[in-house]
Amino acid sequence: MVRVRMADVAARAGVSTATVSMVLNGVNSTRISPQTQQRVREAAEAVGYKPNSVARSLRTQQTRMVGLISDTIASTPFAGRMLAGANDVAREQGHLVVLVDTERDAEAERQALHALNGQQVDAVIYACMWHRVVEVPPGLPEDAVLLDCAPAGGGRAAVVPDERAGGRVAVRELVAAGHRRIAFLDAEERFELVASRLRYEGYLEVLAEAGIEPDPALHVRAEPVAGGGRDAARRLLDLPERPTAMFCFNDRMAMGAYAAAHHCGLSVPRDLSIVGYDDQQLVAAELDPPLTTIALPHYEMGRWAMEVALGLRQADPEVPHLMPCPLIRRASVSPPPTQFGD
Amino acid sequence: MVRVRMADVAARAGVSTATVSMVLNGVNSTRISPQTQQRVREAAEAVGYKPNSVARSLRTQQTRMVGLISDTIASTPFAGRMLAGANDVAREQGHLVVLVDTERDAEAERQALHALNGQQVDAVIYACMWHRVVEVPPGLPEDAVLLDCAPAGGGRAAVVPDERAGGRVAVRELVAAGHRRIAFLDAEERFELVASRLRYEGYLEVLAEAGIEPDPALHVRAEPVAGGGRDAARRLLDLPERPTAMFCFNDRMAMGAYAAAHHCGLSVPRDLSIVGYDDQQLVAAELDPPLTTIALPHYEMGRWAMEVALGLRQADPEVPHLMPCPLIRRASVSPPPTQFGD
DNA sequence: AACCTCAAGTTAATCGATTAAACAAACTGG
DNA sequence: CCAGTTTGTTTAATCGATTAACTTGAGGTT
């Protein structure tokens, strides 16, 4: 199948390629008579002309491609939502996404940047799959947009989830249900999760605004997986004055908390209310009862980043844009059990 | 930052661009004197020359880009592994992946094909996120590779998981542990899952080879999610002569089976052995006890597809390549409880 | 008649490489 | 000493578009 070129269209319509180009791109269209325009369009249709973007790109210095460098597309189910958001905006704008997965390898990053630079992509997005503070790799274009990470030195457009607000929303949901002894099942510090500190801050803020004295015994840490959540929750439930609600760092820990509650013969949410974080479909929605949780706005962040990258939206390079994390209300929160003496 | 062109290197080295091109590409290198080669390389280094792939592509008719059309990158955690596999091979070969997500929309598919064709990608991969039989979209290049789907009419290179063998491996694991009453918790037919029939066939094959008469009462269907698995498992456990083992269509159903077992006061695997399918990290590894399951070879299929796309490997266009599904042995299988009369 | 304006195109340069063909200088062999 | 080969490099065409600058002829003005 031999490709048809603009010259073929021109020949068939009996005009020059310049005319074809103008007509097909709608440039200077007042200067071309309607009849000729018609003729050109028919010819293009007839020969099945498809413009060659490579040639166009060489001339216009625009490729309509955006490079998306990510550290790991593989190991998290979140990746997809971010890609989907970015991808949707790109498509709406007639752009294509070139994806490179570097697996956090500096050398791979350098190569990727090279390749993307060589391909003359119009913009670059640098995405992390966990909310992190990153050392911006050398060679990353000035106007690159950071997605789900903040630049260590500042000075770049970036978007991250508003974890602190998310923490507040989660704990407010529990306070509003009447809880006063609310535990926070946190991730261990060694994981260096930015989200951990921020969600904890949100937790403290709401306790303060509700006039609840934070009890240090209710802030426990564990590995942020189901097993860790189970152990941490068990410790909490062994407390003399045990919590009536738990805010968990993530849904997997919440899953563990469910198991611990079962083990202690407690029912969720009647005896224990639980709120998670992340809204992982496979966990949150499938638990019994379905888990009330805070969603990470991956799709929206992906959109935002692409919109900034394509110049559809302005960004303040000094401070990362905070994307709200919505509460997903399901069935794991209810008022605390009534006790004598209350 | 103004781009340096080959002409700049040529000027600095005091040679023509032809020489620079030959040296830098190692073409005809015997014909260029070592001194000149050295000079050119130094000049390129000094001015920080980076080749412009767009210009090169225009000339060579090769873009070193591969288009990857997928129906949904968003809604499944598997997507990432497939992309990662494809991406790794692409990188090893110095190629870039252009990703387009069409969300199964025919119009979007048409557009994507247009765009990729316009960008002159060297190859195209058409990926599904569930094992499916697909109607190949019109305009898909003859030599496109299908990933995790088989073409309705045949005649295309394709790779899919070997579900039947996977089913066999799963059930053999149970037979080997000594089970004879083995249930299959299947997905309902309305979901039209290719995998459903194939895994069932594998199940039947192993029963036959073990001389076990299949009991229709042990083949139950439900929605392939945790809730469906729970209900189906409960029905099975209410049977007068209940199964000692369950092979579940997927890990989510297995998760429900765990819940049902708990509910009936049975312990996994002491009273009931369970094998899942999919090896979804968030489910299988985090259950208590961890779930023995069959993994889908997404990474390997991604690699395979890209290798075929880049001509590194030959494929038979008549029959899809079957990728083996490995058994992931964890802790949900043990010998059946001993019964009187055995 | 001389001059200007306008409409409707066309010509040719350009984007930044690759590569076949041409060329100049040095060398080789009879 | 001259034809022929080898060596090392350059010239120029090419890939397929875009676009500034130019052309051509018709119509209008004075």
Side-chain angles (χ1 to χ4, degrees):
Chain A
M1 191 184 82
V2 53
R3 285 190 68 86
V4 294
R5 301 184 321 297
M6 192 177 259
D8 301 323
V9 178
R12 189 172 229 269
V15 297
S16 70
T17 62
T19 303
V20 176
S21 175
M22 287 164 156
V23 170
L24 262 29
N25 293 306
V27 176
N28 275 335
S29 51
T30 54
R31 299 173 50 100
I32 311 284
S33 74
Q35 301 93 297
T36 305
Q37 300 213 14
Q38 178 70 5
R39 212 145 30 88
V40 168
R41 266 185 253 281
E42 283 172 8
E45 175 71 21
V47 298
Y49 173 67
K50 304 279 177 290
N52 180 326
S53 312
V54 176
R56 170 188 290 158
S57 295
L58 178 58
R59 183 64 231 255
T60 62
Q61 309 283 36
Q62 287 202 61
T63 52
R64 305 199 138 253
M65 296 197 300
V66 179
L68 177 36
I69 301 190
S70 84
D71 53 357
T72 23
I73 42 186
S75 55
T76 128
F78 303 139
R81 307 249 61 222
M82 272 170 25
L83 289 181
N87 206 77
D88 283 357
V89 173
R91 187 172 55 224
E92 289 161 17
Q93 300 296 317
H95 283 245
L96 248 25
V97 175
V98 179
L99 180 70
V100 188
D101 184 11
T102 62
E103 275 158 18
R104 300 197 71 184
D105 176 53
E107 173 56 17
E109 265 176 4
R110 215 183 47 71
Q111 268 187 34
L113 250 6
H114 251 195
L116 292 178
N117 191 29
Q119 289 290 355
Q120 311 266 86
V121 294
D122 294 345
V124 172
I125 295 176
Y126 183 86
C128 292
M129 293 313 164
W130 312 103
H131 181 178
R132 268 208 294 273
V133 170
V134 295
E135 210 58 62
V136 175
L140 192 72
E142 279 305 313
D143 56 356
V145 182
L146 304 205
L147 174 49
D148 207 6
C149 49
R156 305 282 193 144
V159 58
V160 295
D162 192 348
E163 315 268 10
R164 194 191 319 244
R168 284 198 299 263
V169 169
V171 181
R172 267 200 209 109
E173 179 76 359
L174 293 169
V175 168
H179 295 274
R180 314 266 313 162
R181 280 193 70 69
I182 302 171
F184 180 41
L185 273 71
D186 201 354
E188 283 167 7
E189 279 172 315
R190 67 187 162 106
F191 294 101
E192 296 183 14
L193 296 163
V194 181
S196 163
R197 194 175 46 73
L198 293 169
R199 292 176 194 171
Y200 181 52
E201 286 173 13
Y203 165 81
L204 290 180
E205 284 173 29
V206 173
L207 291 196
E209 83 190 21
I212 300 172
E213 178 72 19
D215 178 349
L218 295 185
H219 181 207
V220 296
R221 289 181 184 274
E223 200 177 340
V225 299
R230 191 187 52 223
D231 298 346
R234 243 180 232 178
R235 274 180 276 139
L236 285 166
L237 295 177
D238 282 345
L239 249 35
E241 198 181 355
R242 69 168 182 238
T244 60
M246 296 182 182
F247 171 38
C248 302
F249 175 75
N250 65 16
D251 290 350
R252 298 163 81 178
M253 293 185 83
M255 185 175 167
Y258 271 58
H262 271 210
H263 182 262
C264 298
L266 300 176
S267 150
V268 176
R270 203 187 55 212
D271 307 310
L272 180 67
S273 289
I274 297 181
V275 176
Y277 213 113
D278 289 358
D279 193 29
Q280 288 198 223
Q281 296 303 313
L282 290 175
V283 179
E286 303 249 338
L287 283 172
D288 183 17
L291 177 68
T292 290
T293 189
I294 308 292
L296 285 167
H298 283 112
Y299 180 84
E300 290 73 15
M301 294 197 300
R303 284 197 70 97
W304 190 94
M306 186 57 82
E307 283 170 8
V308 172
L310 295 180
L312 266 45
R313 173 200 284 276
Q314 229 54 37
D316 178 356
E318 288 320 312
V319 28
H321 183 79
L322 296 179
M323 191 66 75
C325 300
L327 170 74
I328 309 296
R329 203 174 261 128
R330 285 199 266 254
S332 60
V333 174
S334 73
T338 47
Q339 294 187 296
F340 292 172
D342 255 21
Chain B
M1 192 184 81
V2 54
R3 285 190 67 86
V4 296
R5 301 182 321 295
M6 191 177 262
D8 302 322
V9 178
R12 189 171 225 271
V15 297
S16 71
T17 62
T19 304
V20 175
S21 174
M22 286 164 156
V23 170
L24 263 28
N25 292 308
V27 175
N28 275 336
S29 52
T30 55
R31 302 176 47 103
I32 312 280
S33 73
Q35 301 92 297
T36 305
Q37 298 212 15
Q38 178 69 6
R39 212 147 28 90
V40 168
R41 266 185 254 280
E42 283 172 8
E45 174 72 20
V47 299
Y49 172 69
K50 303 278 175 293
N52 180 326
S53 313
V54 176
R56 169 187 290 158
S57 296
L58 178 57
R59 183 64 232 257
T60 63
Q61 308 285 32
Q62 286 203 58
T63 52
R64 306 200 135 252
M65 296 197 301
V66 179
L68 177 36
I69 302 190
S70 85
D71 54 356
T72 21
I73 42 185
S75 54
T76 128
F78 303 139
R81 307 249 62 221
M82 276 175 19
L83 289 181
N87 205 78
D88 283 357
V89 174
R91 187 171 55 222
E92 289 162 18
Q93 300 297 317
H95 283 246
L96 249 24
V97 174
V98 180
L99 180 71
V100 188
D101 185 10
T102 61
E103 276 158 17
R104 302 197 70 180
D105 177 54
E107 172 56 16
E109 266 177 4
R110 216 184 46 72
Q111 267 187 33
L113 251 5
H114 250 196
L116 291 178
N117 192 29
Q119 288 293 353
Q120 311 267 88
V121 294
D122 295 343
V124 172
I125 295 175
Y126 183 86
C128 291
M129 293 314 163
W130 312 102
H131 181 178
R132 268 208 294 272
V133 170
V134 295
E135 211 56 65
V136 175
L140 191 72
E142 279 305 313
D143 55 356
V145 182
L146 306 205
L147 174 48
D148 207 6
C149 49
R156 305 283 192 143
V159 57
V160 296
D162 191 348
E163 315 269 10
R164 194 190 322 241
R168 282 198 300 261
V169 168
V171 180
R172 270 200 206 110
E173 178 77 358
L174 293 168
V175 168
H179 294 274
R180 314 268 311 164
R181 282 194 68 72
I182 302 171
F184 180 39
L185 273 72
D186 201 353
E188 282 167 6
E189 278 172 314
R190 67 188 160 103
F191 295 101
E192 296 183 15
L193 296 164
V194 182
S196 164
R197 195 175 46 74
L198 292 169
R199 292 175 193 172
Y200 182 53
E201 285 172 14
Y203 164 82
L204 290 180
E205 284 172 30
V206 173
L207 291 195
E209 83 191 18
I212 301 172
E213 177 73 18
D215 179 348
L218 295 185
H219 181 206
V220 297
R221 290 182 182 272
E223 200 177 339
V225 299
R230 191 187 52 224
D231 299 346
R234 240 179 237 179
R235 273 181 276 139
L236 285 167
L237 295 177
D238 283 345
L239 248 37
E241 198 183 352
R242 69 168 180 237
T244 61
M246 295 182 182
F247 171 36
C248 302
F249 175 74
N250 65 16
D251 291 349
R252 299 163 80 177
M253 292 185 85
M255 184 176 168
Y258 271 57
H262 271 210
H263 184 262
C264 299
L266 299 175
S267 152
V268 176
R270 204 187 54 214
D271 307 311
L272 180 67
S273 289
I274 297 181
V275 177
Y277 213 114
D278 288 358
D279 192 29
Q280 289 198 223
Q281 295 302 316
L282 291 174
V283 178
E286 304 247 341
L287 283 172
D288 184 18
L291 178 69
T292 291
T293 188
I294 307 292
L296 286 167
H298 283 111
Y299 179 84
E300 290 74 15
M301 293 196 301
R303 285 197 69 97
W304 189 94
M306 186 58 81
E307 283 169 9
V308 172
L310 295 180
L312 266 44
R313 172 200 284 275
Q314 230 53 37
D316 177 358
E318 288 320 311
V319 28
H321 182 79
L322 297 180
M323 190 65 75
C325 300
L327 170 73
I328 308 295
R329 203 174 260 130
R330 284 198 269 255
S332 61
V333 174
S334 74
T338 48
Q339 294 189 295
F340 290 172
D342 254 20

